[in-house]
Amino acid sequence: MRIRLLAREHLGTVAVLFVLTLGACLLVAGLPRATQAAYDEALRRDLQAAPAVQTDLAVTVNSGSRAEDLRERAQFDSREHLWREILPPQLRPVTAPSGAGHMSAKTTLTPITGTGGKSFLNLGWLSDADRRVDWVRGRAPGAPATTRYEGETIPVFEVGVVEQALDKMNLRLGQTVFVGENDYAAVKIVGTFRAKDPGDRYWSHNSDILRILEEQPPGRQDFVRHITTLTSDAGLTALSGEGRNLTYRWILPLEPRAADALDVPGLRAAVHEFDRVVALQTVGTASPYRLVSGLPELLGGFLAELSTAQTVMYLVLGGLLAVALGVIVLAVQLLADKLDRTLSLARARGGSLPRVAGTAAALTALAVVPAALIGYALSYLVPGPVLPVVHAGPVVVVVVAVGFAAVGPALTHRTPLHERREDVATARPSAKRITLEVLVVVLALAGAYLLRARGLSASAGQDPFLLVVPIALTVAAALITLRCYPYPLRLFVRLSARARAAVPFLGLTRAARSRSGSVLPVLILLPALGVSVFAAVVSDGIASTQRLAAWQQVGAPVRVTAESEIPGDAIERVRRLAGVEQVVLAQTGRVQVGYGAERAEAVAVDVTQWRAILGDAPVGLPALSDGVLVSPELRGRGTLEIGWQSRLKLATRGVIESVPGFFTTGKFVVVPIGVQLRPAVNTLLIKGDVSLPELARLVPSARVVSQESAMAAIQEDPLTSTVRSTLVVVTVALAAYALVAVVLSLVVGAAERARAVSFLRTLGLSERQAQRLTVLEILPMILVTALVGLGLGLGLPAALGPGVDLSSYAGDLAVGDYSLDLFLPSALAAGLAVVAVLGAYAHTVISRRRSLGAVLRVGDQT
């Protein structure tokens, strides 16, 4: 047969099949690339945002004797070269090259002599200190010397300290301080420095050099302070682990931009392998070499988030692919119906069955293969890595379309001049088939129950159970719909049979008896509506939980927090700032509970004013005029006595799970700010449309954050934005496919329906009655399937239950409030009904143009 001639004859159907295939291939090849690119970006952002001390690889070893000391830079360099040689291949692409890392030697818990363990002055050496600090007073340290102390000769280290350490540690420039309790050393402070770039990730490893560590031992009011000094390369020669806690470190920095989400499992395994290999290098030292890195834990947390994102993506993208294939198959069925007479004639004239099936397959391939290639090519415009599914998706679409086009005619035209009776009801299903369908329904319900009961499996990776249950529920809903769909219609048929009007009886009868023709539209509409509604409900649940999380993080429209007291004149300037409507003062601190060592976090605030600025926010606190609100850990104590500026005895007025913007776990209390003798305000809760940079300028030492900025930070996370945007795209695509399926289902049965209407019109059926008849024939299947699909979509979030943890995309709050917003379901159902009605009316208008005599003669010939 001449394929091109057939293509011209059925150009409209071929064009529809071309467009559907192109769109499906673009979606199934492009969306995975976009989602994987977002996964990669999310991983890189997580690694970039995490402290370097958590992401970098740090090889450490302790020195316990002079024989184990490293006194020259060359000794450090040779070991760094060794670490890079034994680095596993998976880690090399994401590890910065040689020269980007650094090495250090530091003592810990080195007390200043005579302070009773209240002040510690540690000795430190950095391999690249000259590139990291500027000396602002005095000079850089030089070579060590010796001196006599307590009858012994001890080393004298020249060191520098960070600027603020002089005042806080009660030190002076040029001062010599003795350290140690038995193995003494002298430390001469010859200069002060500041970091060239305090925000550099480098200082995450060396925060003890830039900052004073303050600790408050239990039961004590004073603080213990630690600071690490800087000494020179020459000072390293005298630094020994004999009598001191001396640790050497080699830092191999991670390159976050080189990380790939697909390599995360391999990276975790490689880090553990590197740790094992490093430990094997322990030769000539009593202390083993160890790898210290928080990278495995960080990657594990990312994998948990990624697993949830992939699960949601698999569900919605798998549903999208199934629906797209169903719509394409429906279009192929339409093309096969149009070719039926041609193929029957060819078969009757002696055409072989392979030739007949090959003709249908070739014509289908002429439409779908170019479309698949174009869609596949267009997918490369989407940024992202090329995954196997990018290649496999278009191939599956082509194989399914061409295979269905070949198998359908082959089954239909097994014998020449086949006779078909389309006016009889479908035969009753066998007992085996009914049993199998009942088994599928029971297993689907049992799977949903077990998933809610057990949650996700503890094994790594995807839980197959989570992926199978939604599919089983969709199949079960489709089987129930197909089996139960005719029964309510038959009831309406019996009722309509008693009426005098013939149109309702005829329309409903045809709808109840056309089960074989309605199977494919049902199988398309159910997952299309189910997955699209599921995606919309999940997206809305994420959005509402994100808003709640933003309010929980900030606790007010705008919050200003300082570590120390905010001056009164600064507060007045804030009140007068343009856009500020109300300012609520608060004081936070750590209080003593009772008279023992128990501590709790506290906030003193006017709760009434705070509740007023929250307005209709989804967070709040119970009213409090006196007494105290306590956390669950402090419940049941009646009157609570706390030490905060003075001793306070306050009656417990309520138990709260969290304090928005302040505390979510642990022991905490909320008290009226009026109980303080003189509130030391360090927090401002502000209502109004105010400029955050201007607030930061007015209170330089404070951190300024708003609910809107917190919300934006949550929404702009790559994984979060990808999940929500993909859900939106899939919702729109599936809604469009559902509408296309309705239109195609109308067209597939158009010829047979036109013939039946034409026969009835010869018996006196009017045009208006013909329109009503067509609508009554089509609408029941569409409405019933739409209602079941919408119910499935609304029920899937509840059915999956704890199987899908979306808290990672909602500010770490559990997404469980899937409120039933009926706007989208109503819009989808109404859209499908309107399309069906318009299609029915369009069908009658087109049929009206045909000659009744011609229709009857064609019908007689068949």
Side-chain angles (χ1 to χ4, degrees):
M1 294 184 186
R2 300 177 63 180
I3 302 301
R4 292 185 179 180
L5 181 61
L6 290 175
R8 286 200 301 267
E9 182 69 20
H10 305 288
L11 184 59
T13 307
V14 171
V16 170
L17 188 55
F18 178 90
V19 172
L20 290 176
T21 304
L22 189 151
C25 292
L26 177 58
L27 287 174
V28 300
L31 282 178
R33 294 190 64 174
T35 55
Q36 189 60 46
Y39 298 157
D40 294 342
E41 182 61 25
L43 172 63
R44 292 160 187 166
R45 283 199 184 186
D46 284 356
L47 294 177
Q48 190 68 39
V53 70
Q54 186 178 5
T55 61
D56 294 348
L57 306 175
V59 180
T60 69
V61 66
N62 295 327
S63 175
S65 66
R66 294 187 179 275
E68 298 174 356
D69 292 341
L70 302 180
R71 299 179 178 274
E72 297 178 0
R73 180 185 288 266
Q75 294 175 294
F76 283 90
D77 292 337
S78 63
R79 282 165 175 77
E80 184 193 22
H81 181 69
L82 173 62
W83 307 142
R84 292 189 178 276
E85 278 189 347
I86 63 175
L87 202 64
Q90 296 92 332
L91 286 176
R92 290 177 182 174
V94 297
T95 306
S98 180
H102 70 280
M103 301 160 287
S104 67
K106 297 178 186 177
T107 67
T108 55
L109 297 177
T110 309
I112 297 178
T113 305
T115 61
K118 294 181 180 179
S119 296
F120 293 84
L121 195 68
N122 300 308
L123 301 171
W125 170 81
L126 296 178
S127 61
D128 55 353
D130 55 332
R131 296 189 292 110
R132 299 294 181 176
V133 301
D134 288 322
W135 295 94
V136 293
R137 294 174 60 190
R139 59 177 175 84
T146 59
T147 188
R148 298 286 297 177
Y149 183 76
E150 298 286 339
E152 297 180 1
T153 300
I154 62 173
V156 179
F157 293 93
E158 288 191 354
V159 301
V161 295
V162 69
E163 286 181 287
Q164 58 267 31
L166 293 180
D167 293 332
K168 288 193 173 183
M169 298 289 293
N170 195 24
L171 301 173
R172 301 186 313 277
L173 193 62
Q175 179 184 8
T176 298
V177 178
F178 292 94
V179 296
E181 296 295 345
N182 45 35
D183 194 340
Y184 299 105
V187 177
K188 184 178 181 181
I189 303 172
V190 298
T192 62
F193 60 83
R194 66 167 66 110
K196 292 184 177 181
D197 183 7
D200 195 314
R201 290 170 54 83
Y202 170 93
W203 292 109
S204 172
H205 293 283
N206 304 293
S207 58
D208 56 330
I209 291 179
L210 288 190
R211 297 177 181 86
I212 298 172
L213 174 63
E214 294 185 331
E215 298 176 334
Q216 186 177 21
R220 294 175 56 178
Q221 298 295 326
D222 51 349
F223 288 88
V224 175
R225 294 179 172 86
H226 303 251
I227 189 63
T228 300
T229 62
L230 273 183
T231 189
S232 62
D233 287 1
L236 180 64
T237 60
L239 194 59
S240 174
E242 187 175 33
R244 306 189 202 288
N245 301 313
L246 178 60
T247 302
Y248 302 125
R249 289 182 178 86
W250 292 262
I251 307 300
L252 307 181
L254 195 75
E255 288 283 5
R257 302 308 304 177
D260 190 325
L262 292 175
D263 296 336
V264 167
L267 286 178
R268 293 184 70 193
V271 173
H272 293 300
E273 174 63 16
F274 188 43
D275 186 17
R276 185 188 69 82
V277 176
V278 163
L280 296 178
Q281 308 306 312
T282 303
V283 178
T285 176
S287 301
Y289 287 98
R290 296 183 302 112
L291 177 65
V292 179
S293 177
L295 186 59
E297 290 75 15
L298 184 63
L299 294 178
F302 175 78
L303 274 180
E305 296 182 19
L306 181 62
S307 176
T308 301
Q310 288 177 331
T311 298
V312 176
M313 294 300 101
Y314 288 157
L315 290 176
V316 296
L317 294 180
L320 177 61
L321 176 60
V323 171
L325 289 176
V327 174
I328 291 174
V329 166
L330 196 58
V332 173
Q333 179 64 48
L334 174 61
L335 182 60
D337 289 347
K338 291 183 177 295
L339 290 174
D340 183 71
R341 193 170 305 280
T342 302
L343 297 179
S344 297
L345 183 59
R347 187 79 168 114
R349 290 178 176 178
S352 66
L353 189 61
R355 182 175 178 81
V356 169
T359 299
L363 183 58
T364 302
L366 185 63
V368 300
V369 171
L373 291 175
I374 295 175
Y376 174 75
L378 289 176
S379 70
Y380 278 81
L381 298 177
V382 180
V386 180
L387 305 174
V389 70
V390 174
H391 308 302
V395 173
V396 170
V397 172
V398 171
V399 170
V400 169
V402 176
F404 185 82
V407 173
L411 295 176
T412 302
H413 299 280
R414 288 191 302 272
T415 58
L417 298 176
H418 62 283
E419 294 290 337
R420 290 177 297 178
R421 291 290 307 275
E422 298 179 353
D423 59 336
V424 296
T426 305
R428 291 179 178 274
S430 64
K432 291 182 179 180
R433 183 173 179 178
I434 293 178
T435 302
L436 180 61
E437 292 176 356
V438 171
L439 180 62
V440 170
V441 173
V442 172
L443 289 178
L445 296 176
Y449 171 77
L450 290 176
L451 183 61
R452 287 188 58 85
R454 77 174 180 93
L456 286 174
S457 65
S459 60
Q462 294 296 319
D463 186 353
F465 200 62
L466 180 60
L467 300 177
V468 170
V469 167
I471 298 174
L473 288 175
T474 303
V475 174
L479 291 175
I480 293 173
T481 303
L482 291 174
R483 290 298 171 212
C484 299
Y485 161 71
Y487 296 108
L489 286 184
R490 291 174 184 175
L491 176 61
F492 285 109
V493 167
R494 292 183 179 180
L495 295 177
S496 63
R498 300 178 182 180
R500 298 182 60 184
V503 171
F505 173 75
L506 292 174
L508 294 175
T509 300
R510 287 181 57 82
R513 297 179 66 180
S514 62
R515 292 168 57 194
S516 59
S518 64
V519 170
L520 194 54
V522 168
L523 295 179
I524 296 171
L525 288 177
L526 260 178
L529 290 173
V531 175
S532 62
V533 173
F534 167 76
V537 170
V538 169
S539 180
D540 185 66
I542 292 176
S544 60
T545 309
Q546 285 176 340
R547 180 171 179 266
L548 174 62
W551 280 102
Q552 284 278 26
Q553 291 178 12
V554 181
V558 180
R559 191 187 72 212
V560 178
T561 306
E563 294 183 0
S564 57
E565 183 177 358
I566 300 176
D569 56 344
I571 296 176
E572 291 304 317
R573 288 195 298 269
V574 170
R575 293 184 191 274
R576 295 192 298 268
L577 189 63
V580 173
E581 300 178 18
Q582 186 176 355
V583 178
V584 178
L585 309 182
Q587 178 186 357
T588 61
R590 190 168 177 83
V591 300
Q592 181 184 24
V593 180
Y595 288 92
E598 187 178 13
R599 296 290 190 273
E601 302 295 332
V603 55
V605 63
D606 188 324
V607 175
T608 302
Q609 293 184 10
W610 190 6
R611 285 160 56 92
I613 69 171
L614 287 175
D616 59 351
V619 296
L621 289 174
L624 179 69
S625 58
D626 63 346
V628 61
L629 300 174
V630 301
S631 64
E633 287 83 349
L634 296 174
R635 74 168 76 220
R637 304 197 184 188
T639 299
L640 193 68
E641 185 169 355
I642 62 175
W644 192 12
Q645 290 186 352
S646 62
R647 303 302 302 182
L648 301 173
K649 289 186 178 182
L650 302 168
T652 301
R653 299 302 185 192
V655 179
I656 50 177
E657 297 293 332
S658 64
V659 181
F662 293 93
F663 319 119
T664 56
T665 59
K667 298 178 181 180
F668 54 82
V669 297
V670 179
V671 301
I673 196 169
V675 303
Q676 296 286 63
L677 296 178
R678 192 194 71 81
V681 176
N682 57 8
T683 303
L684 304 179
L685 306 174
I686 302 171
K687 178 182 180 181
D689 185 10
V690 60
S691 169
L692 301 188
E694 188 64 19
L695 276 176
R697 186 186 66 81
L698 294 179
V699 192
S701 61
R703 177 174 176 265
V704 181
V705 63
S706 69
Q707 185 271 338
E708 292 181 354
S709 64
M711 183 74 169
I714 295 174
Q715 293 177 334
E716 290 173 1
D717 178 78
L719 276 183
T720 302
S721 59
T722 299
V723 169
R724 291 208 63 197
S725 60
T726 304
L727 291 176
V728 171
V729 171
V730 170
T731 301
V732 174
L734 288 175
Y737 274 125
L739 296 178
V740 172
V742 172
V743 174
L744 288 179
S745 65
L746 289 171
V747 179
V748 166
E752 190 274 335
R753 194 178 303 111
R755 184 168 56 250
V757 170
S758 298
F759 273 110
L760 292 173
R761 287 185 62 189
T762 62
L763 300 177
L765 190 72
S766 66
E767 291 184 12
R768 185 176 297 275
Q769 288 175 322
Q771 292 171 345
R772 290 169 54 196
L773 175 65
T774 306
V775 170
L776 286 174
E777 178 186 350
I778 295 170
L779 267 186
M781 180 273 295
I782 293 176
L783 291 181
V784 171
T785 307
L787 291 175
V788 175
L790 295 175
L792 177 66
L794 293 173
L796 272 179
L800 298 181
V804 180
D805 179 15
L806 300 173
S807 59
S808 301
Y809 318 115
D812 295 328
L813 287 185
V815 181
D817 183 19
Y818 298 112
S819 56
L820 299 182
D821 185 1
L822 297 181
F823 172 76
L824 179 62
S826 302
L828 289 174
L832 293 177
V834 168
V835 169
V837 172
L838 292 178
Y841 277 88
H843 164 71
T844 56
V845 171
I846 295 173
S847 299
R848 184 176 58 189
R849 301 175 182 175
R850 304 174 65 180
S851 170
L852 295 182
V855 173
L856 289 177
R857 284 198 300 271
V858 172
D860 290 340
Q861 291 175 0
T862 58

